[in-house]
Amino acid sequence: MLANAKKIVIKIGSNTISNSKGFINEHFIKNLCEEVAFLKQKGKEVVIVTSGAKISGISAINKWSRKSDMNYKQALCAIGQVRLLNSYDKYFAEYGINIGQILLTMDDFLVDDRILNIRNTLFTLIDEGVVPIINENDTVCVKELKIGDNDTLAAHTAMIWNADLLIILSDIEGLYDKNPKEYVDAKLIEVVANIDDIDVDEGIANEFGTGGIKTKLDAARICNNYEIDMILASGKEEDVLLKLYENKLACTYFKSN
Ligand code: ADP
């Protein structure tokens, strides 16, 4: 599926981009940049939607006692976003690839002019060989406007860019019939032929994650409705994109009709 797709959105979750100590996993970003460079060589076009600004911010400044207050969270994201993108920039530079930052909110997808502007920017960056890196604009978001999770943001991005495929990299191999962190007998569902048939226990997200499996299913619904395929796979797997490209990795494939 990845080998056949041309326009690919890759979403990286907070649990994927952080290590067990709660810091940004630099090795993951390095590995991802190497793999995206490989995909670009194969003629693919890639847009990245990345979480991790808050974790980066906390890693940078850990002394703020009010870091759970909303305004402090936003401030930490503002600090962390720079660090996060610096890491991407550093590792992509090894392959001569430039990146472009796009920060979006839910209301950007509700206004025609803005959609047009986002599309124009995306298409131009891609035409020029640049990798757009998207995140939610935490500075301007208030609760009601917040997309709240980058799964939905990635699905909307895939939709307005007319992507062929959305790959969500999480800390889990794919969709299970129940939460594998709670049930040892949970079974991986490898192919979802019709997202409307899916009825699983959605569980709750863990410490850094905001979306849980629910927002991944919502993303699959949005994508599949617009004839975009979706893959949910583990970003904890070394060379995950390469393995998906070679069809050597168990994951969940949400097939559009
Ligand atoms: P991310 O930060 O990558 O967006 P989340 O923590 O938000 O990740 O969501 C992934 C988590 O959803 C998994 O680690 C798992 O604990 C939980 N989950 C709950 N139910 C399921 C299920 N049926 N199949 C897979 N994961 C599930």
Side-chain angles (χ1 to χ4, degrees):
M1 205 184 330
L2 175 51
N4 291 333
K6 170 139 174 98
K7 297 172 75 175
I8 303 152
V9 177
I10 303 168
K11 184 262 173 179
I12 296 114
S14 355
N15 292 317
T16 304
I17 207 150
S18 62
N19 60 27
S20 54
K21 293 188 179 127
F23 292 112
I24 285 293
N25 184 344
E26 289 282 329
H27 175 76
F28 170 81
I29 300 181
K30 190 177 189 317
N31 189 220
L32 181 85
C33 293
E34 183 187 351
E35 293 193 288
V36 171
F38 165 81
L39 291 177
K40 277 171 65 63
Q41 261 182 6
K42 295 283 175 194
K44 314 288 179 200
E45 297 175 345
V46 177
V47 172
I48 292 176
V49 178
T50 187
S51 304
K54 192 172 142 218
I55 299 161
S56 271
I58 292 174
S59 306
I61 297 180
N62 203 10
K63 62 176 193 233
W64 287 352
S65 58
R66 293 172 55 198
K67 55 180 181 262
S68 54
D69 294 3
M70 183 50 93
N71 55 322
Y72 272 80
K73 276 188 193 165
Q74 288 174 296
L76 285 168
C77 288
I79 296 161
Q81 180 68 21
V82 180
R83 294 205 165 211
L84 183 64
L85 270 278
N86 268 342
S87 289
Y88 279 104
D89 196 35
K90 181 172 80 185
Y91 296 120
F92 270 128
E94 290 178 15
Y95 303 94
I97 295 172
N98 287 310
I99 60 167
Q101 173 182 257
I102 302 180
L103 297 174
L104 299 174
T105 62
M106 187 58 194
D107 51 338
D108 295 326
F109 290 100
L110 303 175
V111 183
D112 287 349
D113 278 3
R114 291 189 185 190
I115 292 175
L116 191 65
N117 286 329
I118 299 166
R119 277 174 64 95
N120 286 343
T121 310
L122 277 176
F123 278 99
T124 307
L125 288 170
I126 294 285
D127 282 353
E128 294 300 333
V130 176
V131 174
I133 303 190
I134 299 178
N135 198 358
E136 189 176 46
N137 189 346
D138 298 290
T139 304
V140 296
C141 282
V142 293
K143 207 173 163 208
E144 292 76 16
L145 290 180
K146 239 183 153 197
I147 293 173
D149 68 274
N150 274 342
D151 297 322
T152 318
L153 184 66
H156 280 267
T157 302
M159 188 177 85
I160 67 165
W161 182 47
N162 298 113
D164 302 315
L165 177 65
L166 167 64
I167 301 175
I168 293 189
L169 296 181
S170 186
D171 64 342
I172 202 89
E173 290 73 21
L175 174 70
Y176 285 77
D177 57 351
K178 47 196 170 187
N179 189 351
K181 288 190 181 152
E182 288 175 42
Y183 301 93
V184 282
D185 63 337
K187 288 189 185 59
L188 182 69
I189 302 169
E190 293 203 47
V191 179
V192 175
N194 186 350
I195 181 71
D196 295 328
D197 293 342
I198 287 297
D199 180 23
V200 297
D201 172 11
E202 291 176 346
I204 46 163
N206 57 18
E207 195 185 355
F208 294 116
T210 48
I213 202 67
K214 181 183 182 306
T215 52
K216 286 154 191 67
L217 294 176
D218 291 344
R221 228 165 265 126
I222 295 169
C223 285
N224 288 177
N225 273 340
Y226 283 88
E227 294 180 8
I228 301 164
D229 294 321
M230 193 182 105
I231 292 174
L232 176 59
S234 173
K236 300 281 176 196
E237 185 78 32
E238 184 79 9
D239 296 330
V240 56
L241 296 176
L242 200 63
K243 286 175 184 162
L244 287 174
Y245 184 85
E246 291 173 347
N247 205 7
K248 284 183 182 158
L249 188 70
C251 61
T252 301
Y253 169 35
F254 297 86
K255 205 171 171 324
S256 69
N257 295 310

